[in-house]
Structure formats: C-alpha cells, structure tokens
Amino acid sequence: MLTFTIVAEDHCRQVESFLHNLMPGATRGYRQKLLKSGHIRVNGAERSGEQLLLETDTLTLKESSRTAALIRGERPVVDILYEDDMIIVVNKEPGRSVHNTSEDTGMDLVLHGEEYMERRGTPCKLRPVNRLDRGTSGAVILAKSPTAAGILGRFIREEGLDKIYLAVVMGEVARDGEIDLPLEGKESLTRYRRIFQGTYDAVVAVYPVTGRTHQIRKHFSIFGHPVVGDKRYGGLMVKGLGGHALHAFAVGFPNPGTGESMKVYAPLPQGLVSLLRQVAGGNFTEILKELTELEFMGEFSAGTGSGGELIC
C-alpha cells in the first residue's frame, strides 16, 4: 500500500482532487474505478470522491504497476479541483488574473490552463464561468465548450452560484452579521460568520448575496474592517501573502452535463495558511475544524448579478 499524510495545505481538498493531482495522467474513469473498487481508503475506510480530506488524515492507495507509473513526485502546474468532459474547476493562486491584464507578470489563468491541457494531450479552449480578482485565490469554473459555458452562464444569471469565501479582516467583528450597503447605486448585501477572533484580526466566512464589483472587499472596508493585504481598500500589507487574504473556499452549482448538484472545495494557499497560523497561534486547528463545518447559505442562493462581475 502507498500511504499519504494530509498536510494543512490540502485540508478540505476532496479525495478526487487529491487523486487528480497525485496521478495527473490517469483518466477520470480510472480514478473512479479505484474508488469504487475500494483501492482508496482514508483512515482505513472507503470514501467517495467528494469526501473532504482533513489535516493529518491518512490516505492509502493499493499499489500496482499501473498506479506506480501514474504517480509523479511533482504536482501538475494547475491545481485541479474537479474535471469532467464539460468543465474543469481550478484552484487559482493569488496574484494570477483570470484574463490577461496590464498587471500580469505571467500567464493568466485561462492561458495557463489551456497550455497545461495542451501538454497533457487534451487541448481545448477554456471559458471562465465565474471570475475572481487578481489578488483573490480559490475556485474558478472553466467551461470546455460553448455549450457548457452557455448552460452555466444562463444559470448564474437566473439563479446565481452558491459560494463561501474565507477572509481575514482587520479588527474585532461580531460573531454573525450582514453588511447591507448600496454599491454603484445598487442594492448590495454581504453576510458573514466569524470563525475566529484574534488580537488584531478576525477570520470570517463570507456569503455574498448580491454580486457587485469588489463587493466583499468594499463592504468590509466601509464597515471599518478591510481585508488584510488589500492595499486598494485600506488593508494592512503582509509579506508572503501573494495577494489579499480573501479566498473562494467553496462553490456550488449544477453540473452542466448531468444536472447533478455539485459542491467543490478549494484548499487554502500556503500564504493564507501561514497568515492563519499567525492570527490563531495555538488555536490554528480550531480554524481548520471550523472550515469542515461551514455550510452553504442555500441551494444556489448567492447570485452574482450579471454572472461575470468581480464580487471579491
């Protein structure tokens, strides 16, 4: 048996995503076969591909010549959270734009993903379904075809994606609350739940109900608690963060091919993990536990307005 211990940077990564990155050359069908045959176990028990992995969990994989050949020591350059024939969900690192901008120092996410797909031998044109600001990390859905993009784009305009963001904001905040302040002359509502209160900063789960440009960042700044690292809106800069302390932690949507209700989770980037350790100190594991207990606000209830705005 091959044994892997889950680290903090993979906390809340789903089993299928872990396998995808562990064996980037394997087909989804082969990974599903390993799961269904019981060749994958977590802490000794069989698990589904949607199961969340937790720090210190032990994942074991039955060794064979085929799996050994598929496993690489180095992860693929694109952190894939989920993939099928119609979509790919990628964990965007902070500092990378979804589309090309004048601020880019390297390839944007779309080109980066297309280059990886080309090298992998599965070339396709990728179309972002949701967008994150350059400094924000987390889950981005990329459609592999105009059909998939159209299905999800229409759904977002009519219903909205279900989303959970994680943020570190300055100051002391209430346990639960909402920020109901118009932006751009339009009604804007952000709900939040405090996960941990540190001496100087708070860790919050954020649920944007509406979808205005930079809504989360603007709302918390106006509220007097700017996002850490968000220089544009008054946040204190932190070395090594790579962007601002705002992460698209989870996204819920219907699969464009099957209609199945999906929930995809994005593990935190290393810079944000380091910041959480600083904020929480010895209570870091408390934050990790809270992450596993976060629930979506409602089935596809967090709309994004036009479907393409930068709500973060």
Side-chain angles (χ1 to χ4, degrees):
M1 300 291 286
L2 299 172
T3 302
F4 305 89
T5 301
I6 306 306
V7 298
E9 285 74 15
D10 279 323
H11 182 77
C12 284
R13 182 180 296 279
Q14 287 160 298
V15 171
E16 185 169 347
S17 172
F18 187 89
L19 295 179
H20 203 309
N21 288 330
L22 181 66
M23 299 184 290
T27 64
R28 184 166 189 252
Y30 182 67
R31 294 192 301 272
Q32 290 296 313
K33 181 181 178 180
L34 290 175
L35 287 164
K36 291 177 181 178
S37 64
H39 288 187
I40 304 292
R41 292 179 176 269
V42 179
N43 301 329
E46 294 183 21
R47 291 289 185 266
S48 69
E50 295 76 31
Q51 178 74 32
L52 293 181
L53 294 168
L54 312 181
E55 186 188 30
T56 73
D57 275 354
T58 299
L59 182 145
T60 55
L61 167 63
K62 186 175 181 179
E63 189 171 5
S64 70
S65 58
R66 186 174 181 185
T67 55
L70 287 168
I71 292 173
R72 299 178 183 175
E74 186 177 351
R75 288 189 174 188
V77 294
V78 176
D79 184 357
I80 298 174
L81 303 172
Y82 173 83
E83 184 179 8
D84 60 26
D85 292 338
M86 298 191 76
I87 61 171
I88 180 170
V89 186
V90 174
N91 194 5
K92 185 183 86 66
E93 64 264 49
R96 186 185 295 277
S97 299
V98 173
H99 279 303
N100 185 44
T101 70
S102 59
E103 296 177 311
D104 278 337
T105 56
M107 251 188 287
D108 62 74
L109 183 66
V110 171
L111 289 177
H112 191 53
E114 289 177 347
E115 182 186 74
Y116 172 70
M117 301 289 278
E118 177 78 29
R119 290 202 314 271
R120 195 180 68 174
T122 55
C124 65
K125 181 176 175 58
L126 298 175
R127 301 162 176 85
V129 173
N130 65 315
R131 293 190 298 153
L132 298 179
D133 195 23
R134 183 171 181 266
T136 303
S137 57
V140 176
I141 306 166
L142 302 171
K144 293 182 175 180
S145 68
T147 299
I151 292 172
L152 284 172
R154 182 169 60 253
F155 177 83
I156 292 173
R157 289 191 297 272
E158 295 174 357
E159 303 290 338
L161 298 174
D162 216 352
K163 301 176 181 178
I164 304 174
Y165 285 81
L166 187 74
V168 182
V169 300
M170 297 172 62
E172 184 174 341
V173 300
R175 174 66 183 175
D176 298 281
E178 63 178 44
I179 306 171
D180 187 0
L181 295 170
L183 296 173
E184 307 160 21
K186 300 175 183 178
E187 178 184 1
S188 304
L189 178 61
T190 302
R191 295 193 174 108
Y192 71 90
R193 172 191 164 194
R194 191 186 72 206
I195 293 176
F196 181 83
Q197 180 63 59
T199 304
Y200 305 105
D201 304 305
V203 182
V204 293
V206 187
Y207 304 86
V209 180
T210 55
R212 312 305 175 203
T213 302
H214 297 176
Q215 176 177 310
I216 295 173
R217 298 163 60 194
K218 286 180 178 178
H219 264 172
F220 275 96
S221 179
I222 295 170
F223 192 41
H225 303 285
V227 174
V228 172
D230 188 3
K231 183 179 180 180
R232 180 170 183 174
Y233 295 111
L236 181 68
M237 300 303 292
V238 175
K239 185 178 180 181
L241 191 56
H244 33 256
L246 181 61
H247 179 74
F249 173 64
V251 60
F253 59 96
N255 186 293
T258 66
E260 173 192 5
S261 177
M262 298 186 60
K263 292 177 173 62
V264 179
Y265 293 81
L268 312 185
Q270 186 173 0
L272 183 53
V273 170
S274 297
L275 176 61
L276 292 179
R277 290 186 188 277
Q278 294 176 33
V279 171
N283 297 306
F284 176 67
T285 55
E286 177 184 327
I287 293 178
L288 296 186
K289 182 176 183 295
E290 287 279 352
L291 290 181
T292 67
E293 298 174 354
L294 292 178
E295 296 181 355
F296 285 93
M297 186 172 60
E299 187 76 351
F300 311 129
S301 60
T304 58
S306 69
E309 294 176 288
L310 296 171
I311 66 171
C312 51

